[in-house]
């Protein structure tokens, strides 16, 4: 066995041996997934196991109520041929609200030939494509159910619409990876770039907030009408997913007109057409930023374009602020981060113009990684978030002071501050004339 001894280790040993012996196909690997792999299981958690087999394409699911030490445990076993299992890792997870997944796994047993190929401590799956066309089509289903006075159909369509919305809004939000359905739900509700009232409207459409049919229709319509202007800057991604005509409709106002048309009950006079709204200016409770590319399934990071003079990466930083910056040849300024109330120095990182823009407009500290060549939001993977209280530019313009409310440790070593190593100072420090 490849996992550390734990209360469930004996149980897993027994089942790993049983699965190897009773399979009617050659077993090449057995992995533990779910809450036990995340070490978040409770006494009532089931055990999720993937059994990988050789041979032709194959998929089966078996369930067991297994007794161990006088206690029954629900065991769910998904068997799949190893090649299609690997291919499936390249597809979006259907439970993740369109967000990318990085879920821990534990290898229980593997054939030596396959061990290096399937010994993955984290199972990564990519984000879904921005499903704008399906979002609009689903709003049409909500409108049809409204006109037919079909309460059940409206509730079902509204729930589908809410599950699609995060995949579209992901274009305009910092990248985040989820580990479970629960964390995906929380991340989908907490997207920082979202329409006004987004969280409440999502909860209402999903059926978690009760309300009459009229309010449910209004919530679904607000989700769509509020999302359209936020994703208009990402028309290229929309074109890739839905085709060029749909992308053109996003720009020329036809999409806005169509959504307005859906809002009119059958028989009502059409509303006067209007020009599409531009991307709204940031206001309380709503921020603007640009998308962050996700890492591919392999775990490698996408490379940014090689910077030209001054690190010429696209940015929407206020030109008045950009003009005051004195950057390194890589286009960076140093960011000194401190705790806002105590003044404790926490860490030093680097920002380019776009990272500074995101920090100022999202309220989340965002940096540029020189080694990975990508943007990163502090706390996006560790949970040690930095909520920005203020940002100050120094007199030379080559550094910024970021005052934050630090959650947990600022240092990747687990220390509160990166400056935990004291160096010997031999000078007495006395001033002599």
């Amino acid at each position: 066995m490849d996992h550390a001894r734990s209360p469930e280790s004996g149980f897993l040993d027994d089942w790993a041996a049983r699965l190897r012996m009773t399979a009617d196909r050659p077993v090449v690997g057995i992995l533990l997934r779910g809450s036990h792999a995340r070490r978040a299981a409770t006494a009532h958690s089931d055990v999720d196991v993937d059994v990988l087999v050789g041979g032709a394409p194959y998929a089966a699911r078996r369930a067991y109520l297994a007794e161990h030490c006088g206690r029954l445990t629900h065991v769910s076993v998904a068997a799949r041929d190893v090649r299609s299992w690997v291919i499936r890792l390249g597809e979006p997870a259907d439970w993740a609200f369109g967000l990318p997944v990085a879920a821990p796994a534990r290898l229980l047993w593997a054939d030596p030939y396959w061990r290096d190929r399937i010994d993955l401590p984290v199972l990564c799956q990519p984000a879904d494509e921005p499903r704008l066309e399906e979002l609009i089509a689903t709003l049409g289903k909500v409108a049809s159910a409204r006109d037919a006075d079909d309460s059940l159909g409206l509730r079902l369509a509204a729930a589908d619409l809410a599950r699609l919305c995060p995949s579209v809004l992901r274009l305009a939000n910092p990248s985040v990876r989820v580990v479970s359905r629960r964390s995906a739900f929380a991340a989908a509700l907490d997207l920082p770039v979202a329409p006004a009232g987004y969280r409440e409207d999502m909860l209402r459409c999903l059926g978690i907030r009760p309300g009459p049919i009229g309010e449910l229709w209004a919530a679904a319509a607000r989700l769509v009408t509020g999302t359209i202007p936020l994703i208009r800057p990402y028309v290229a991604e929309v074109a890739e997913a839905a085709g060029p005509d749909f992308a053109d409709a996003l720009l020329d106002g036809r999409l806005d007109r169509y959504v307005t048309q859906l809002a009119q009950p059958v028989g009502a006079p059409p509303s006067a057409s209007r020009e599409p709204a531009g991307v709204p200016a940031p206001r309380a409770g709503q921020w603007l930023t640009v998308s962050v590319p996700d890492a591919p399934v392999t775990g490698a990071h996408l490379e940014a374009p090689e910077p030209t003079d001054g690190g010429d990466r696209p940015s929407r930083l206020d030109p008045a602020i950009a003009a005051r910056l004195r950057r390194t040849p890589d286009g960076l300024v140093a960011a000194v981060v401190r705790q806002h109330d105590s003044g404790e120095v926490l860490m030093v990182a680097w920002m380019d113009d776009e990272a500074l823009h995101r920090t100022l407009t999202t309220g989340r500290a965002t940096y540029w990684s020189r080694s990975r060549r990508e943007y990163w939001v502090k706390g996006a993977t560790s949970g040690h978030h930095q909520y920005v209280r203020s940002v100050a530019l120094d007199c030379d313009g080559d550094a910024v002071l970021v005052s934050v409310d630090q959650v947990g440790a600022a240092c990747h070593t687990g220390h509160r501050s990166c400056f935990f190593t004291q160096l010997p100072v031999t000078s007495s420090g006395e001033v002599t004339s």
Side-chain angles (χ1 to χ4, degrees):
M1 301 296 288
D2 296 322
H3 58 279
R5 302 302 297 179
S6 60
E8 77 274 14
S9 291
F11 174 82
L12 295 175
D13 286 339
D14 294 343
W15 271 86
R18 183 186 305 187
L19 291 168
R20 294 200 304 272
M21 289 190 303
T22 61
D24 56 0
R25 282 169 169 254
V27 176
V28 300
I30 304 173
L31 290 99
L32 179 69
R33 297 184 299 103
S35 57
H36 282 279
R38 299 194 305 272
R39 301 193 181 279
T42 70
H44 304 293
S45 296
D46 55 8
V47 177
D48 297 303
V49 178
D50 277 0
V51 176
L52 309 182
V53 299
Y58 173 82
R61 183 173 291 276
R62 298 288 185 270
Y64 305 87
L65 284 177
E67 188 167 1
H68 182 72
C69 297
R71 185 175 180 84
L72 290 171
T73 300
H74 173 211
V75 181
S76 178
V77 179
R80 181 177 293 273
D81 67 284
V82 64
R83 288 178 174 82
S84 67
W85 181 85
V86 171
I87 292 172
R88 195 178 184 188
L89 290 181
E91 301 171 351
D94 56 9
W95 48 263
F97 288 86
L99 303 175
V101 173
R106 292 167 58 190
L107 183 66
L108 301 181
W109 177 87
D111 177 90
Y113 176 81
W114 282 98
R115 179 178 297 275
D116 292 341
R117 296 168 173 81
I118 64 175
D119 190 5
L120 305 173
V122 176
L123 303 182
C124 293
Q125 292 180 262
D128 201 354
E129 63 182 13
R131 297 168 66 181
L132 178 61
E133 188 271 336
E134 292 180 57
L135 182 71
I136 301 300
T138 306
L139 183 63
K141 291 181 173 62
V142 178
S144 295
R146 174 205 61 196
D147 293 344
D149 199 22
D150 179 3
S151 173
L152 180 59
L154 192 151
R155 293 184 186 279
L156 290 172
D160 289 340
L161 184 147
R163 283 188 282 268
L164 289 167
C165 199
S167 77
V168 180
L169 284 172
R170 191 184 65 81
L171 290 172
N173 278 275
S175 184
V176 60
R177 289 185 177 273
V178 297
V179 300
S180 66
R181 186 176 185 181
R182 175 65 179 81
S183 70
F185 181 46
L189 291 179
D190 292 337
L191 293 176
V193 183
Y198 166 76
R199 183 184 179 90
E200 288 302 311
D201 286 340
M202 284 283 289
L203 292 173
R204 192 171 300 282
C205 286
L206 290 168
I208 297 173
R209 290 275 193 274
I213 291 301
E215 291 184 8
L216 187 58
W217 156 256
R222 281 194 300 266
L223 285 175
V224 176
T225 57
T227 294
I228 288 174
L230 295 176
I231 64 165
R232 197 165 275 129
Y234 310 102
V235 66
E237 290 88 341
V238 172
E240 186 175 348
D245 185 74
F246 211 77
D248 290 343
L250 178 63
L251 292 179
D252 63 24
R254 281 179 292 148
L255 195 56
D256 299 79
R257 287 164 45 208
Y258 181 68
V259 171
T260 300
Q261 176 181 301
L262 292 176
Q264 302 301 316
V266 172
S271 301
S273 62
R274 58 181 176 84
E275 291 298 317
V279 178
R283 59 181 183 271
Q286 183 172 351
W287 303 278
L288 296 179
T289 185
V290 297
S291 61
V292 181
D294 296 310
V297 178
T298 59
H301 297 281
L302 294 179
E303 291 189 357
E306 190 68 26
T308 58
D309 185 29
D312 191 21
R313 288 176 285 272
S315 174
R316 290 190 292 174
L317 181 65
D318 184 339
I321 299 175
R324 300 181 62 182
L325 298 179
R326 291 181 57 192
R327 307 166 188 82
T328 67
D330 291 330
L332 305 175
V333 295
V336 180
V337 186
R338 69 174 181 179
Q339 175 64 28
H340 75 97
D341 48 2
S342 67
E344 177 188 18
V345 178
L346 300 172
M347 56 179 280
V348 175
W350 294 94
M351 291 183 180
D352 66 357
D353 288 26
E354 179 59 21
L356 180 56
H357 165 73
R358 299 183 192 195
T359 298
L360 295 172
T361 58
T362 67
R364 298 286 299 278
T366 305
Y367 308 104
W368 173 258
S369 171
R370 295 178 297 174
S371 59
R372 300 192 304 269
R373 301 189 56 74
E374 66 175 7
Y375 296 106
W376 58 284
V377 180
K378 181 65 176 178
T381 56
S382 67
H384 297 162
H385 304 291
Q386 289 178 349
Y387 296 99
V388 179
R389 295 298 186 90
S390 66
V391 179
L393 183 65
D394 82 335
C395 57
D396 294 323
D398 59 358
V400 291
L401 179 63
V402 185
S403 298
V404 303
D405 190 6
Q406 174 72 50
V407 177
C411 184
H412 73 283
T413 62
H415 289 78
R416 168 73 178 178
S417 168
C418 291
F419 298 94
F420 58 86
T421 303
Q422 295 292 326
L423 301 179
V425 178
T426 56
S427 171
S428 63
E430 295 179 357
V431 178
T432 57
S433 57

